[in-house]
Structures are given as C-alpha cells and as structure tokens.
C-alpha cells in the first residue's frame, strides 16, 4: 500500500498540470450538471414494512384521487381581542382574502371555514385549507407572493393571520453566516498548524474543490435518486471537515519530509505513501460507517449515508492526487536543477527553509548529522511546537491510572442525561417562533386543541370483511371509547366501497408521551374488531410513523453496530496488526458517542445553553439522530485513531519501547491531530445556525462527539490504556500474523527503497538499495 501510494504521490507531483486540469474539469462538469438538473423535492420520511407505512401505501392504492402531490397551505385567522371571527366584518374580510386566490392557476381548491366547520368553539380562530396543483418546489414565486399578499390583506383588515402547511417551505441552503465563521476558524487553525498562508490555503482549496464536486453531483442526482437538501448539506458538512483534515495530514508530513532534506518530489511521494496510507484507511472506516446506515431500512437515512460516503471518498481521492500536484504547482521544479530556491517559503516557513537548504540524506538515503534515527528526526523549528505533545505524553505515562479514571468518569458524567433521551419527528412546532408556520401551529393548538396538529389516520381495509359499513361503524365506536381521543371524524369510503378512512384527533400534542401511548392503546383496542369482522385496521399519521420509525431503529441498532463495528475492527486489525488496539478503539468510541448523546439531551430536551446556540424550541431529539450520529462519529473517531496510532506503530516497528512509541506518536502527530479536531469541530458547529432542526442537531451532536473523542478519548484514554498494556498492546496471534495481509501503513517498505535518480520515468518509480530506517 505505502509503495503504491508513494508512486501515486510522485506521479501526481510530476504530472501536476494534468492532475490539476482533470480535477478542474471534473469541477466544471459537476457544477454544469447541477445547474441544468431540475430541483429535487423534499420527501416525507418513510419506513417500509411498518404498520403506518403499510397504511400510507394502502391509501395510495384505494384512494388515488386523494393522493395529491401538490403543496398545501393553511391560512389561520384570529379575530381582534374581544371579537369573533364570525362577526360580519371579520367574515367578509376572510372571504375577500380567500377570493383573492381564485385567479391563481396553481390553486386547486380553497375551503370556506364557515361552511366546513373550521371555526374554534369560542369563535375567535378559523382556518382555510388551500391545495395546489404543484409541489412546494414547483410553486412559482408569483403563487407564493399571492398567498403572502392574501395574508397581508386580512391583516390590513385587522385580523391576525399566519400561514402554515408546506406551500412556503423551501430547501435549506448552505452558505449562512455561521458556516462561513466555521470555515474561517478552520483557515486560522490551518495557518497556525502549518505556519504558512500558502500551505493553509492549499489545504482549504483542495477541500473546497472536493466539496464543490460532491455538492454538484448530489444536486444533479437529486431528482433521479430522490435526494433531499438534507443529503446535500450532510455531504457538504462531512466533505469539508474530512477534506481539510486529510489535506492537513499529508501537507504536514510533506513539510516534515522536506525539512529533513528530501527533494520536493521525493517528499511528496513519501508524504502520500505514509500519511496517505493513513488517509485511505481512515476514509475507509468513515465510508463503511456511512454505507452501513442502509441496514436500518429507512430510505432517507440510506440516501444520507450514501451521499456522505461519496463526499468522503472524493475527499480521499483529492488528498492523494490533487494535494501532491499542488505541491509542485506552488513553486517546485521536477528536479533539483529546476527547483526554485525562493519557492521554499511558499509552503515552508523560514526555519524549515533553512533546514531544507542543505539536504541531510546521502545517496543511500542515510540521515547525516544529529546522530539520531530518522524515525525521531524532526525539523529544528518544529521541536518547540511539539514539546507540549511530548510533555503531555510523558505525563500520561507517569500517571496512566489517574488519567484513565478522570477521563472515563468525566465522559460518564456527561453521558448521564442520555438516559432521558426522547425521540420524535420535528414539525412546525420545532421551528422558530419568528416563522409564520410556527405561529400558525400555535394558533391552531390554541383554537382546536394541542392534538389538532397531529391527527391520527385510521384505515379500515374491509376487503375480506362481509360488511364494510358495519366493520367501520364498530371501529368508530371502539375509538370513541378510548381515553385520550378528543374527537373522531366521519368515515369516508373508497370508490370500491371496501376501504374506509377516518381521522381521530388526540387530546395531547403530537410529540407528547401521552399521544404515543394513545397510538399503542388504539392498536390494542381495534385488535378485537379485526377478530370479529375480518377487517384489517391500520393506524398511521405523523405520530404513528414516528413511533414505528423509533421502534424500527431501536431494533436495527444492534445489527447496525455489529456490522459497522465488526468491519471497522477488522480493518483496524489489518492496519495495526494488533488485537487489543481495535477493541480499545471501539470501546473509546462508545464513551464519546454516549457523551455526545448526553449533550443532545441537555441542549435540545432540557434547554441548557439553547439560547446561546440559537435553539428556540426544546423537545424530543429527532428519531434519525442516534443512529445517524453513531454512524458518522464512529467513522470520524477511527480517523483520529488511525492518524495518531500510525506514528506510534511506526516507532514500534522501528524498535522503540511502548513508552517511547507513545511519546513519538504525540511528538509527530499530536499537534496535527489536535488541529484537525479543532477544524472539524468548527466546521460542524458552523451548521448549528441553520434553521433546519435536523441540521442543528447534527451540528451540535457531531461537534460535541469530535470534541470528546479527539481530546478526551484519543489524547487521554488511548495513551493511558497503551501505557498500561505495554508490549501487549501490539500483540497479534501467530496464526493471524500469517493470515492477515501486510498493508504497510507505516511505510516500512519505503525505508528499503530510495529513488534511483532525481527524475524517473512516469511509468514507474525504480527501487534503489536499502537505506537505514526512517520515520
């Protein structure tokens, strides 16, 4: 692996214009495809195989006339204080408002609240339902403006008017202020970590290019594959975070190689061969975790996983090819004779430039001077910056038990709120009170009861029953006897008279625990009717779907963790050739994800720091979040495990003691891993400012998880455990040692080969005589 990637790095360096041109062409094609593709639609969450989904499918089959794909809006009217909406002047204002919509070609129908009975008992609130012929994304701006103008017309008449429904919904667009702040923080961290504006800009540029291509492809495939804006934003979030990190690791290794005396082309090859190997396997763990989301069986979750996995795969390819190509484009020649001396400063700071000015490798690739093994060599200017990592590693080696206890107990304490985790599907109640949809939701709850916004739909399939009407009547009677139901509407029969549909309105809010208990109570109560009549009775609706999805995801959690963690542990077993290191990595991940769930509960359910983060409404955590965050965080956690332990494994392979290997890993990778974690945290936190509850939850959860995993698990627990295990940490049974392939992630093969000449043919990189081992 290391030798193959070494050749890729050198080839990309030499063919930098070709590589750059190919990636630029890919960017243009992706953006052009996205620009020409039609806009995708926001699809409702579905869960094939559940009772609620079966009911929806049955409705599509038996009630095709009601299966409209058009958008819907609700105009909610409230009379001025002390008045009724049924008063003559208020009634006239409402009807004039609705009449102003009649001329719109995209309006399919408008209901009169006074004829349909859509007036509250106290007469203060009424609503009208407007259905459209097109979906929300296909509504013209003039149609949306007409709806807003109609609401303003009623407001001018003295009424309070709010607009609910899907007609005013729009896709969440990235690029807000908080995202830009996150990228700016990442840029600052890159400059501090690399000590060069150009080197930092290079890492950021390559990450942005990969993200732009991924975003363009997701947008272009939105309609054919049914991808939503959430898929695109997740691809953007993950692609940007890992893209910057992967470029940072390879760039940092390239600078170290140059400072140790390697020629630029050789340094590029070695950087891709060593750090690039870690990038490949780190990216593979993220890819496995995201693709594994498909085992849950939720189409939307599967699409999110595939979109994120594609963005990560692109980030890996960009890091392995475009990054070394840009090393050459930013001032280096293809051979020492063509190198530009002043160009060292473009990527290397002055102190590194001085160290690089006199190569320290002879023809046999031996390090000269200093008399220390190459695995421990480091740039003179880099040593003070790395002292903090060295001091911390030695501190942990002296007190491993204390560090392990404090870190473990601390994460356990943060994870305690996760025991109160409640799941739900976000609706208008989760939106900001500044939105008209949220205010419409509140008005409807005030006028018609909290359960009005979450009605339950009961479908009676009497195709195998002797009498459809008798079976339906028995269902209605049974429902009216269930505690917690506020009202049961009149049933409607299908054209074939073999299916009935009716609406049951709960007394409690959609996401309340009482409403969830009510769904189970209804399903239990109608089971007797099914036995008596032979009819199949299905309960659906948003609340019922939420319950079914939550239960299905709970059932799928163990299989998912088994598949993902099993494959990732196997991958790490191959990478590190150790049994205990992968097991330790998986257990550390469980600690960090548990603490992340604790933060989600504290913020989104209990409201801690909600105002600071701009979260106005607390409530249940979105049902998809636990398994989605588990998938993403597991992959990212393995990123830092691979990057940090690769240097430790490299030192161990070269004969270092367990303690020396830990110190070497922190000396070479600790600072870069910390910078990478800060970058990822800032990118994820930048998405908290978006209005989508799904994206907000992901932003907070992922940022917290990376914080705990990188700085507590990988920086404290991992070295403490390794210190306690000693040589046993790298133990591998002989049978596995013979069976497992040697992927050489540490670049051991590169210590036995050096370039035959400064310039080699593109077809191959010829091996040279063995030199002394280096890092």
């Amino acid at each position: 692996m290391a030798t193959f990637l070494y050749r890729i790095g050198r080839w990309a360096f030499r063919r930098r214009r070709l590589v750059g041109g190919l990636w630029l062409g890919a960017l243009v094609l992706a953006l052009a495809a996205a620009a020409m593709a039609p806009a995708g639609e926001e699809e409702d969450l579905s869960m094939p195989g559940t009772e609620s989904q079966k009911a929806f499918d049955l409705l599509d089959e038996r009630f095709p006339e009601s299966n409209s794909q058009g958008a819907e809006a609700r105009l909610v009217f409230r009379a001025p204080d002390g008045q009724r909406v049924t008063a003559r002047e208020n009634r006239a204002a409402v009807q004039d408002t609705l009449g102003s919509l009649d001329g719109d070609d995209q309006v399919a129908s408008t209901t009169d609240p006074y004829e349909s009975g859509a007036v509250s008992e106290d007469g203060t609130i009424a609503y009208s339902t407007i259905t459209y012929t097109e979906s929300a994304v296909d509504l013209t701006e003039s149609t949306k403006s007409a709806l807003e103008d109609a609401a303003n017309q009623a407001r001018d008449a003295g009424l309070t008017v709010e607009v609910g429904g899907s007609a005013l919904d729009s896709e969440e667009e990235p690029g807000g202020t908080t995202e830009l702040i996150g990228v700016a923080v990442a840029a600052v961290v890159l400059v501090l970590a690399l000590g060069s504006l150009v080197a930092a800009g290079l890492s950021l540029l390559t990450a942005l290019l990969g993200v732009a291509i991924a975003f363009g492809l997701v947008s272009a495939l939105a309609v054919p594959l049914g991808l939503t804006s959430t898929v695109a934003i997740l691809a953007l979030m993950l692609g940007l975070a890992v893209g910057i990190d992967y470029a940072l690791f390879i760039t940092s290794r390239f600078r170290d190689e140059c400072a140790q005396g390697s020629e630029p082309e050789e340094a590029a090859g070695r950087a891709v061969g060593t750090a690039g190997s870690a990038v490949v396997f780190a990216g593979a763990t993220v890819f496995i975790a995201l693709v594994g989301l498909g085992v849950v069986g939720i189409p939307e979750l599967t699409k999110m996983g595939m979109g994120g996995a594609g963005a990560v795969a692109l980030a890996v390819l960009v890091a392995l090819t475009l990054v070394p190509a840009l090393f050459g484009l930013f001032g280096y020649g293809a051979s020492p004779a063509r190198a530009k001396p002043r160009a060292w400063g473009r990527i290397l700071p002055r102190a590194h430039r001085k160290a690089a000015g006199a190569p320290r490798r002879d023809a046999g690739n031996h390090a000269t001077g200093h008399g220390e093994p190459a695995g421990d060599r480091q740039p003179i200017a880099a040593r003070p910056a790395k002292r903090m990592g060295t001091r911390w590693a030695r501190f942990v080696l002296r007190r491993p038990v204390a560090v392990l206890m404090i870190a473990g107990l601390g994460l356990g304490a943060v994870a305690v709120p996760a025991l109160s985790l409640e799941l739900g599907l976000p609706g208008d109640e989760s939106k900001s009170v500044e939105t008209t949809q949220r205010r419409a939701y509140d008005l409807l709850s005030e006028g018609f009861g909290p359960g009005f916004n979450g009605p339950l739909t009961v479908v009676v399939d009497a195709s195998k029953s002797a009498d459809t009407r008798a079976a339906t009547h028995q269902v209605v009677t049974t429902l009216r006897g269930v505690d917690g139901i506020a009202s049961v509407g009149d049933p409607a029969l299908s054209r074939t008279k073999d299916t009935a549909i009716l609406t049951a309105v709960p007394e409690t809010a959609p996401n309340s625990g009482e409403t969830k208990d009510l769904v189970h109570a209804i399903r239990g109560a109608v089971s007797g009717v099914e036995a008596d009549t032979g009819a199949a009775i299905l309960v659906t609706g948003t609340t019922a779907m939420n319950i079914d999805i939550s239960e299905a995801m709970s059932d799928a959690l163990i299989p998912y963790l088994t598949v993902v963690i099993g494959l990732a542990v196997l991958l790490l077993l191959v990478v590190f050739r150790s049994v205990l290191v992968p097991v330790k990595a998986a257990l550390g991940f469980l600690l960090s994800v548990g603490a992340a769930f604790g933060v989600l509960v504290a913020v989104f359910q209990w409201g801690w720091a909600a105002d600071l983060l701009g979260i106005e409404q607390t409530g249940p955590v979105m049902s998809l979040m636990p398994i989605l965050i588990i998938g993403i965080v597991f992959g990212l956690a393995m990123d830092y495990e691979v990057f940090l332990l690769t240097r430790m494994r490299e030192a161990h392979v070269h004969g270092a003691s367990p303690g020396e290997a830990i110190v070497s890993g922190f000396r070479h990778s600790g600072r870069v891993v910390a910078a990478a974690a800060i970058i990822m945290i800032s990118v994820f936190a930048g998405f908290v400012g978006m209005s989508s509850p799904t994206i907000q939850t992901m932003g907070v959860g992922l940022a917290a998880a990376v914080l705990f995993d990188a700085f507590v698990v990988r920086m404290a627990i991992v070295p403490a455990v390794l210190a306690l295990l000693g040589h046993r940490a790298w133990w591998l049974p002989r049978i596995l040692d013979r069976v497992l392939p040697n992927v050489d992630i540490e670049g051991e093969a590169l210590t036995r080969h050096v370039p035959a000449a400064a310039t080699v043919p593109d077809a191959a990189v010829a091996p040279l005589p063995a030199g002394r081992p280096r890092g």
Side-chain angles (χ1 to χ4, degrees), residues 574-622:
V574 173
V575 171
F576 294 116
R577 306 188 70 78
S578 164
V579 173
L580 296 179
V581 166
V583 173
K584 169 196 59 61
L587 294 177
F589 151 75
L590 294 176
L591 282 174
S592 58
V593 80
F597 287 166
V599 171
L600 288 180
V601 171
V603 173
F604 290 94
Q605 287 183 210
W606 299 352
W608 294 5
D611 292 339
L612 180 63
L613 298 174
I615 298 167
E616 299 186 16
Q617 181 66 25
T618 59
V621 176
M622 185 180 179

Side-chain angles (χ1 to χ4, degrees), residues 4-199:
F4 173 71
L5 294 177
Y6 167 81
R7 290 170 176 164
I8 288 179
R10 295 194 66 180
W11 176 84
F13 185 95
R14 289 194 302 272
R15 296 298 186 184
R16 47 192 172 273
R17 291 184 176 82
L18 173 62
V19 174
L22 289 175
W23 279 112
L24 186 60
L27 174 63
V28 172
L29 290 176
L31 294 181
M36 293 185 292
E41 298 183 6
E42 297 298 305
E43 298 181 354
D44 293 331
L45 203 60
S46 62
M47 185 72 199
T50 60
E51 177 177 327
S52 53
Q53 188 61 48
K54 291 177 182 177
F56 279 128
D57 296 340
L58 185 63
L59 290 175
D60 291 344
E61 176 186 345
R62 307 286 175 83
F63 293 85
E65 69 281 357
S66 64
N67 185 27
S68 173
Q69 298 298 319
E72 182 181 276
R74 271 182 176 169
L75 278 175
V76 186
F77 306 90
R78 180 175 185 173
D81 292 341
Q83 299 183 25
R84 291 176 174 266
V85 78
T86 53
R88 183 168 55 85
E89 63 277 10
N90 293 331
R91 183 168 184 156
V94 170
Q95 292 177 332
D96 289 344
T97 298
L98 299 178
S100 67
L101 298 172
D102 292 341
D104 196 314
D105 294 336
Q106 291 188 315
V107 174
S109 64
T110 303
T111 62
D112 188 325
Y114 305 105
E115 295 180 0
S116 61
V119 179
S120 63
E121 290 185 4
D122 60 5
T124 60
I125 297 174
Y127 69 89
S128 171
T129 301
I130 301 97
T131 57
Y132 293 88
T133 58
E134 305 291 340
S135 62
V137 295
D138 293 325
L139 293 181
T140 63
E141 289 301 321
S142 61
T143 295
K144 294 182 179 180
S145 296
L147 180 61
E148 294 172 345
D149 292 342
N152 289 330
Q153 178 180 332
R155 293 185 184 112
D156 293 339
L159 298 174
T160 298
V161 185
E162 303 298 345
V163 185
S166 62
L168 295 183
D169 287 348
S170 59
E171 290 190 356
E172 189 74 37
E173 295 291 341
T177 302
T178 53
E179 298 99 288
L180 296 179
I181 292 175
V183 174
V185 171
V188 172
V189 174
L190 281 172
V191 172
L192 295 176
L194 297 175
S196 166
L197 286 173
V198 172

Side-chain angles (χ1 to χ4, degrees), residues 173-380:
E173 295 291 341
T177 302
T178 53
E179 298 99 288
L180 296 179
I181 292 175
V183 174
V185 171
V188 172
V189 174
L190 281 172
V191 172
L192 295 176
L194 297 175
S196 166
L197 286 173
V198 172
L202 182 150
S203 299
L204 194 58
L205 175 65
T206 55
L208 291 174
L209 183 137
V211 163
I213 294 176
F215 194 80
L217 290 177
V218 170
S219 300
L221 297 174
V223 172
L225 299 183
L227 305 180
T228 63
S229 61
T230 303
V231 177
I233 293 174
L234 179 61
L236 172 62
M237 182 187 299
L238 287 176
L240 188 59
V242 301
I244 296 175
D245 279 5
Y246 294 166
L248 168 63
F249 282 111
I250 292 179
T251 302
S252 177
R253 186 63 181 248
F254 170 75
R255 286 158 51 82
D256 284 350
E257 293 290 337
C258 286
Q260 291 170 14
S262 290
E263 295 296 332
E265 181 180 326
E266 172 70 7
R270 288 184 175 275
V272 175
T274 52
S277 297
V279 165
V280 168
F281 285 98
T285 57
V286 182
F287 189 91
I288 290 172
L290 291 171
V291 172
L293 291 171
V295 305
V296 180
I298 299 179
E300 176 65 11
L301 196 59
T302 301
K303 294 171 186 176
M304 293 172 71
M306 295 300 293
V312 171
L314 269 173
V316 172
L317 291 176
V318 168
L320 297 179
T321 57
L322 184 59
V323 170
L326 291 183
F327 292 157
L329 287 174
F330 277 81
Y332 295 109
S335 66
R338 294 169 54 192
K340 303 175 185 177
R342 289 195 301 174
W344 290 101
R346 297 186 181 182
I347 294 183
L348 298 176
R350 179 175 300 176
H352 287 72
R353 212 161 54 234
K354 180 178 179 181
R360 287 154 51 191
R361 289 192 180 95
D362 58 19
N365 200 40
H366 288 216
T368 60
H370 300 292
E372 55 182 343
D376 289 331
R377 290 197 315 272
Q378 53 183 307
I380 296 173

